[in-house]
Amino acid sequence: MRNVLKLPDRYVDNILSLIKDQDFVDGKESAGFVAGEVKQLKIWPSNKSYGNIAKSFHGLITDMFRDNIHQISNEGTFQPYNAYVIHGAHVVKYDVGDYYGWHQDATELGPRLSFSFALNDDYEGGNLEIDTPWGIVETELKAGEMVIYNTNWRHQITPITKGQRLAVIGWLDVQSSDIESTFIIQKMKNVFRYFEELHNSDRISDDIKKELRENILTFSEVYGYIIRKNRKY
Protein backbone atom coordinates (compact mmCIF):
# COMPACT_ATOMS: atom_id res chain seq x y z
CA MET A 1 0.00 0.00 0.00
CA ARG A 2 1.17 3.56 -0.69
CA ASN A 3 2.68 5.40 2.29
CA VAL A 4 4.11 2.29 3.98
CA LEU A 5 7.48 3.42 5.31
CA LYS A 6 10.36 1.43 6.83
CA LEU A 7 11.94 3.34 9.70
CA PRO A 8 15.22 2.60 11.54
CA ASP A 9 15.10 -0.26 14.07
CA ARG A 10 16.15 2.00 16.93
CA TYR A 11 12.64 3.43 17.20
CA VAL A 12 11.16 -0.03 17.83
CA ASP A 13 13.89 -0.89 20.34
CA ASN A 14 13.54 2.39 22.26
CA ILE A 15 9.75 2.21 22.48
CA LEU A 16 9.70 -1.44 23.55
CA SER A 17 12.28 -0.69 26.24
CA LEU A 18 10.21 2.23 27.49
CA ILE A 19 6.90 0.36 27.79
CA LYS A 20 8.07 -3.04 29.10
CA ASP A 21 6.89 -2.42 32.70
CA GLN A 22 3.88 -0.23 31.95
CA ASP A 23 0.27 -1.07 32.78
CA PHE A 24 -2.12 -1.20 29.85
CA VAL A 25 -5.83 -0.41 30.28
CA ASP A 26 -9.03 -1.29 28.44
CA GLY A 27 -9.01 0.45 25.06
CA LYS A 28 -12.65 1.46 25.44
CA GLU A 29 -11.41 4.26 27.72
CA SER A 30 -10.25 6.20 24.67
CA ALA A 31 -13.18 5.28 22.40
CA GLY A 32 -16.26 7.27 21.56
CA PHE A 33 -19.75 5.81 21.56
CA VAL A 34 -19.63 4.25 18.09
CA ALA A 35 -16.04 2.94 18.18
CA GLY A 36 -16.43 1.60 21.72
CA GLU A 37 -18.91 -1.01 20.52
CA VAL A 38 -16.35 -2.67 18.21
CA LYS A 39 -13.16 -2.22 20.24
CA GLN A 40 -11.41 -4.97 22.22
CA LEU A 41 -7.77 -4.21 22.98
CA LYS A 42 -5.54 -2.53 25.57
CA ILE A 43 -3.76 0.83 25.37
CA TRP A 44 -0.97 2.80 27.03
CA PRO A 45 -0.66 5.53 28.14
CA SER A 46 -4.20 6.08 29.31
CA ASN A 47 -5.75 9.43 30.13
CA LYS A 48 -5.10 8.69 33.82
CA SER A 49 -1.52 7.46 33.56
CA TYR A 50 0.19 10.35 31.84
CA GLY A 51 3.51 10.81 33.68
CA ASN A 52 7.19 11.24 32.91
CA ILE A 53 7.48 7.94 31.03
CA ALA A 54 4.52 8.89 28.85
CA LYS A 55 6.16 12.25 28.16
CA SER A 56 9.34 10.42 27.11
CA PHE A 57 7.24 8.21 24.82
CA HIS A 58 5.66 11.19 23.11
CA GLY A 59 9.12 12.71 22.78
CA LEU A 60 10.26 9.58 20.93
CA ILE A 61 7.29 9.78 18.58
CA THR A 62 7.99 13.46 17.90
CA ASP A 63 11.63 12.64 17.14
CA MET A 64 10.56 9.79 14.86
CA PHE A 65 8.54 12.12 12.66
CA ARG A 66 11.04 14.96 12.82
CA ASP A 67 13.96 12.73 11.81
CA ASN A 68 12.06 11.07 8.97
CA ILE A 69 9.93 13.93 7.67
CA HIS A 70 11.87 14.09 4.40
CA GLN A 71 11.08 10.44 3.64
CA ILE A 72 7.44 10.90 4.67
CA SER A 73 7.05 14.05 2.56
CA ASN A 74 8.57 12.32 -0.46
CA GLU A 75 5.76 9.79 -0.28
CA GLY A 76 3.31 12.63 -0.91
CA THR A 77 1.57 12.15 2.43
CA PHE A 78 1.46 15.83 3.32
CA GLN A 79 1.08 17.22 -0.19
CA PRO A 80 -2.55 18.46 0.13
CA TYR A 81 -1.90 20.34 3.37
CA ASN A 82 0.06 23.32 4.66
CA ALA A 83 1.41 21.99 7.97
CA TYR A 84 1.03 19.21 10.52
CA VAL A 85 1.35 18.54 14.24
CA ILE A 86 1.21 15.23 16.13
CA HIS A 87 -2.11 14.95 17.91
CA GLY A 88 -1.89 12.12 20.41
CA ALA A 89 -0.31 8.67 20.28
CA HIS A 90 -0.80 5.38 22.11
CA VAL A 91 0.75 1.94 22.20
CA VAL A 92 -1.95 -0.63 21.51
CA LYS A 93 -1.75 -4.28 22.59
CA TYR A 94 -3.87 -7.03 21.05
CA ASP A 95 -3.91 -10.48 22.68
CA VAL A 96 -5.51 -13.59 21.15
CA GLY A 97 -9.16 -12.83 20.39
CA ASP A 98 -8.71 -9.05 20.49
CA TYR A 99 -9.75 -6.95 17.52
CA TYR A 100 -10.93 -3.50 16.47
CA GLY A 101 -13.90 -3.62 14.09
CA TRP A 102 -14.70 -1.20 11.31
CA HIS A 103 -14.60 2.41 12.52
CA GLN A 104 -13.47 5.91 11.69
CA ASP A 105 -11.12 7.87 13.90
CA ALA A 106 -12.40 11.14 15.38
CA THR A 107 -11.58 14.20 13.29
CA GLU A 108 -11.89 16.92 15.89
CA LEU A 109 -10.21 19.77 14.05
CA GLY A 110 -10.96 18.93 10.46
CA PRO A 111 -8.70 17.03 8.03
CA ARG A 112 -6.33 14.69 9.82
CA LEU A 113 -4.07 11.77 9.06
CA SER A 114 -3.81 8.54 11.05
CA PHE A 115 -0.68 6.44 11.42
CA SER A 116 0.12 2.93 12.65
CA PHE A 117 3.71 1.94 13.48
CA ALA A 118 4.39 -1.78 14.01
CA LEU A 119 6.49 -2.78 17.03
CA ASN A 120 6.50 -6.50 16.27
CA ASP A 121 5.34 -9.03 13.68
CA ASP A 122 5.55 -12.39 15.52
CA TYR A 123 1.81 -12.96 15.66
CA GLU A 124 -0.97 -14.23 13.41
CA GLY A 125 -4.11 -12.38 12.39
CA GLY A 126 -4.27 -8.73 13.39
CA ASN A 127 -4.10 -7.32 9.88
CA LEU A 128 -4.88 -3.66 9.28
CA GLU A 129 -7.61 -3.32 6.66
CA ILE A 130 -8.35 0.12 5.23
CA ASP A 131 -11.43 1.01 3.19
CA THR A 132 -9.90 3.41 0.67
CA PRO A 133 -11.63 5.14 -2.27
CA TRP A 134 -10.03 2.43 -4.44
CA GLY A 135 -11.28 -0.53 -2.40
CA ILE A 136 -10.32 -2.35 0.78
CA VAL A 137 -6.56 -2.68 1.23
CA GLU A 138 -5.11 -5.24 3.65
CA THR A 139 -1.79 -4.28 5.19
CA GLU A 140 0.51 -6.70 7.03
CA LEU A 141 3.10 -4.44 8.65
CA LYS A 142 6.51 -5.79 9.60
CA ALA A 143 8.26 -4.51 12.74
CA GLY A 144 9.55 -1.00 12.07
CA GLU A 145 7.07 -0.26 9.27
CA MET A 146 4.57 2.59 9.44
CA VAL A 147 1.50 3.27 7.36
CA ILE A 148 -0.14 6.71 7.06
CA TYR A 149 -3.68 7.11 5.77
CA ASN A 150 -6.60 9.52 5.78
CA THR A 151 -8.41 9.49 9.11
CA ASN A 152 -11.85 9.51 7.55
CA TRP A 153 -11.21 6.16 5.84
CA ARG A 154 -12.91 3.31 7.68
CA HIS A 155 -10.44 0.73 8.93
CA GLN A 156 -10.21 -2.28 11.20
CA ILE A 157 -7.80 -4.71 12.87
CA THR A 158 -8.81 -8.33 12.31
CA PRO A 159 -8.86 -10.68 15.34
CA ILE A 160 -5.55 -11.96 16.68
CA THR A 161 -5.32 -15.75 16.36
CA LYS A 162 -1.82 -16.34 17.76
CA GLY A 163 0.69 -14.28 19.73
CA GLN A 164 0.44 -10.64 20.69
CA ARG A 165 0.34 -7.56 18.45
CA LEU A 166 2.01 -4.31 19.56
CA ALA A 167 1.83 -1.07 17.61
CA VAL A 168 1.95 2.68 18.05
CA ILE A 169 -1.09 4.50 16.69
CA GLY A 170 -1.65 8.22 16.52
CA TRP A 171 -2.99 11.14 14.57
CA LEU A 172 -1.61 14.12 12.73
CA ASP A 173 -3.51 17.38 12.64
CA VAL A 174 -3.06 18.92 9.23
CA GLN A 175 -3.87 22.54 8.55
CA SER A 176 -6.13 22.97 5.55
CA SER A 177 -6.30 26.22 3.60
CA ASP A 178 -10.12 25.96 3.68
CA ILE A 179 -10.84 27.76 6.97
CA GLU A 180 -14.63 27.72 6.52
CA SER A 181 -14.77 23.93 6.11
CA THR A 182 -12.54 23.44 9.16
CA PHE A 183 -14.87 25.66 11.23
CA ILE A 184 -18.00 23.74 10.15
CA ILE A 185 -16.38 20.38 10.89
CA GLN A 186 -15.38 21.61 14.36
CA LYS A 187 -18.99 22.65 15.09
CA MET A 188 -20.29 19.26 13.96
CA LYS A 189 -17.77 17.53 16.21
CA ASN A 190 -19.03 19.55 19.18
CA VAL A 191 -22.61 18.44 18.47
CA PHE A 192 -21.51 14.82 18.09
CA ARG A 193 -19.70 14.98 21.45
CA TYR A 194 -22.83 16.42 23.10
CA PHE A 195 -24.94 13.55 21.72
CA GLU A 196 -22.51 11.03 23.21
CA GLU A 197 -22.40 12.72 26.61
CA LEU A 198 -26.22 12.92 26.74
CA HIS A 199 -26.56 9.25 25.81
CA ASN A 200 -24.16 8.23 28.61
CA SER A 201 -25.86 10.36 31.27
CA ASP A 202 -28.64 9.41 33.71
CA ARG A 203 -30.82 12.36 32.71
CA ILE A 204 -32.88 10.54 30.08
CA SER A 205 -34.94 7.35 29.97
CA ASP A 206 -33.90 4.12 28.24
CA ASP A 207 -36.48 4.69 25.49
CA ILE A 208 -35.06 8.10 24.69
CA LYS A 209 -31.53 6.66 24.82
CA LYS A 210 -32.51 4.07 22.22
CA GLU A 211 -33.87 6.76 19.91
CA LEU A 212 -30.83 8.96 20.56
CA ARG A 213 -28.51 6.07 19.74
CA GLU A 214 -30.12 5.71 16.30
CA ASN A 215 -29.67 9.43 15.71
CA ILE A 216 -26.02 9.27 16.80
CA LEU A 217 -25.32 6.55 14.24
CA THR A 218 -27.09 8.55 11.51
CA PHE A 219 -25.24 11.74 12.47
CA SER A 220 -21.96 9.83 12.38
CA GLU A 221 -22.64 8.77 8.80
CA VAL A 222 -23.51 12.33 7.75
CA TYR A 223 -20.47 13.69 9.57
CA GLY A 224 -18.19 11.24 7.78
CA TYR A 225 -19.73 12.09 4.41
CA ILE A 226 -19.16 15.84 4.88
CA ILE A 227 -15.53 15.26 5.86
CA ARG A 228 -14.99 13.08 2.80
CA LYS A 229 -16.44 15.78 0.55
CA ASN A 230 -14.07 18.36 2.08
CA ARG A 231 -10.96 16.15 2.08
CA LYS A 232 -8.35 16.14 -0.62
CA TYR A 233 -7.13 12.59 -1.27
Side-chain angles (χ1 to χ4, degrees):
M1 177 180 175
R2 185 182 179 215
N3 295 335
V4 173
L5 313 174
K6 179 64 173 77
L7 302 184
D9 293 338
R10 67 177 182 273
Y11 297 110
V12 171
D13 296 338
N14 290 341
I15 293 171
L16 289 177
S17 176
L18 194 65
I19 68 172
K20 64 180 180 180
D21 297 322
Q22 301 306 305
D23 295 324
F24 284 68
V25 302
D26 189 337
K28 293 186 189 316
E29 177 182 307
S30 65
F33 173 79
V34 177
E37 294 194 328
V38 295
K39 188 175 189 179
Q40 182 174 310
L41 56 95
K42 292 183 173 61
I43 65 167
W44 177 90
S46 69
N47 295 333
K48 298 178 181 178
S49 66
Y50 195 90
N52 289 332
I53 295 180
K55 291 179 181 178
S56 297
F57 164 70
H58 284 286
L60 283 175
I61 301 304
T62 299
D63 291 345
M64 184 172 72
F65 276 91
R66 181 197 63 202
D67 296 345
N68 295 278
I69 188 62
H70 179 69
Q71 179 186 0
I72 294 170
S73 297
N74 285 344
E75 290 290 327
T77 301
F78 299 106
Q79 188 173 1
Y81 307 106
N82 297 332
Y84 87 99
V85 61
I86 297 173
H87 182 83
H90 296 284
V91 179
V92 289
K93 179 168 66 175
Y94 293 80
D95 293 312
V96 172
D98 287 350
Y99 64 95
Y100 200 166
W102 288 108
H103 66 285
Q104 289 175 271
D105 294 335
T107 51
E108 188 169 327
L109 296 176
R112 183 180 295 173
L113 300 171
S114 297
F115 68 87
S116 181
F117 177 60
L119 297 177
N120 71 323
D121 52 32
D122 53 342
Y123 57 87
E124 295 179 6
N127 292 331
L128 170 63
E129 296 182 347
I130 305 173
D131 188 4
T132 76
W134 310 279
I136 294 176
V137 176
E138 183 175 72
T139 304
E140 297 182 35
L141 295 177
K142 300 297 183 182
E145 289 185 343
M146 179 171 63
V147 61
I148 301 175
Y149 54 94
N150 286 320
T151 296
N152 67 290
W153 291 351
R154 292 191 321 134
H155 51 282
Q156 70 167 349
I157 299 295
T158 60
I160 299 291
T161 58
K162 182 179 180 180
Q164 183 183 82
R165 179 183 188 271
L166 290 168
V168 176
I169 61 165
W171 304 271
L172 306 173
D173 278 333
V174 285
Q175 181 180 356
S176 172
S177 58
D178 188 346
I179 303 300
E180 183 178 4
S181 294
T182 301
F183 177 77
I184 293 173
I185 290 170
Q186 173 64 56
K187 290 297 184 182
M188 291 190 69
K189 178 62 181 178
N190 291 339
V191 173
F192 189 48
R193 184 185 294 114
Y194 173 74
F195 279 171
E196 289 188 325
E197 291 176 352
L198 185 60
H199 178 274
N200 294 329
S201 73
D202 297 326
R203 301 180 337 214
I204 58 177
S205 67
D206 290 340
D207 288 341
I208 296 178
K209 282 189 177 184
K210 182 179 179 180
E211 183 177 348
L212 181 59
R213 180 180 183 276
E214 295 175 355
N215 282 287
I216 289 174
L217 295 174
T218 300
F219 185 86
S220 178
E221 293 176 357
V222 174
Y223 175 66
Y225 173 79
I226 290 177
I227 290 176
R228 287 192 295 273
K229 295 295 287 185
N230 285 278
R231 176 73 62 84
K232 296 179 180 178
Y233 293 108

